Amino acid sequence: MTYDKIAAGVSALVLTSLLSMPALGADVTVAVSDSQGVALADAAVYLQPLQGRAPKGGQKGSIEQVDKTFVPYVSVVQTGTAVSFPNKDTVRHHVYSFSAPKLFDLKLYSGTPSQPVVFDKPGLVALGCNIHDWMLAYVLVVETPWFAVSKDRGNAVVENVPAGDYNMMIWHPRMKEEMMQQIKVGAAAQTVRARVTLSKPDLRRQGG
């Protein structure tokens, strides 16, 4: 085989590999604040592409029980994700949901249940504990892999978003309904600022 043929073969292989690789995207930081401009934690942010279908993302998640509290308080998962519920406390918990997108009941247990809960329908799922009635958490099930939850400084970083046009959706437990804002994502990292209106009380309570 001549050098030219070898070089042509290598070039074709490299080109095929590049074409088969997923396109890299940019990180989108969403700075969420309330109507007074105060940074807002626990806001769920997700991006829905205006064209095409969103690919499937990671299909595993975890919500722990620590100090008789669900951690995290707000989660976002893609439809089809299997979520485990490890109990890190020394007392047993009984985790349940009566929400239509996912009805389930993990009866009194310690450790981690052998079977995770698969969230197979989009929508909002509220979690509770039959033993400790102050325990509360939310799982927002969405049909996109591009999502994040804001931290204490109000920033939610949605990673590796392909360039394109999106509906940016924001939800928080104290909001009456989701907020939508259309954004354009380019090749470089960007920050989007969003203010939301809080009209519902904080339902979390401390237990003993």
Side-chain angles (χ1 to χ4, degrees):
M1 182 178 293
T2 66
Y3 174 82
D4 289 342
K5 289 183 178 180
I6 294 175
V10 171
S11 297
L13 179 60
V14 171
L15 178 60
T16 300
S17 299
L18 289 174
L19 290 175
S20 63
M21 290 175 62
L24 296 178
D27 290 352
V28 178
T29 298
V30 183
V32 186
S33 60
D34 65 16
S35 57
Q36 305 301 313
V38 178
L40 185 63
D42 299 316
V45 177
Y46 62 101
L47 305 182
Q48 297 177 319
L50 295 184
Q51 296 180 340
R53 299 181 62 182
K56 290 293 183 183
Q59 299 298 298
K60 292 183 180 180
S62 177
I63 299 174
E64 300 179 348
Q65 295 127 67
V66 181
D67 294 332
K68 300 175 185 176
T69 303
F70 287 114
V71 180
Y73 172 51
V74 174
S75 300
V76 188
V77 301
Q78 189 173 11
T79 307
T81 298
V83 177
S84 62
F85 287 86
N87 180 0
K88 300 296 183 66
D89 286 332
T90 56
V91 297
R92 293 190 293 172
H93 292 294
H94 183 152
V95 180
Y96 71 92
S97 168
F98 294 148
S99 300
K102 191 62 187 182
L103 299 168
F104 71 92
D105 191 22
L106 301 178
K107 296 189 182 299
L108 205 61
Y109 71 93
S110 298
T112 303
S114 58
Q115 295 297 322
V117 177
V118 178
F119 290 81
D120 49 4
K121 295 179 182 178
L124 180 63
V125 179
L127 307 177
C129 175
N130 265 335
I131 306 303
H132 309 99
D133 60 4
W134 64 84
M135 290 177 62
L136 175 66
Y138 297 95
V139 181
L140 186 61
V141 188
V142 300
E143 295 184 308
T144 172
W146 301 300
F147 53 77
V149 177
S150 64
K151 306 301 183 184
D152 289 342
R153 294 186 178 181
N155 290 340
V157 181
V158 186
E159 298 180 342
N160 200 30
V161 183
D165 297 315
Y166 295 83
N167 280 333
M168 179 181 72
M169 312 296 296
I170 301 177
W171 176 86
H172 187 273
R174 295 185 59 196
M175 292 173 63
K176 185 176 181 180
E177 57 186 5
E178 286 184 318
M179 187 188 84
M180 183 179 75
Q181 179 178 330
Q182 194 171 120
I183 66 170
K184 180 181 289 291
V185 177
Q190 65 189 83
T191 297
V192 179
R193 300 190 181 280
R195 283 196 176 189
V196 302
T197 300
L198 304 179
S199 58
K200 298 169 64 177
D202 189 340
L203 298 179
R204 287 176 291 182
R205 295 186 291 118
Q206 297 296 319

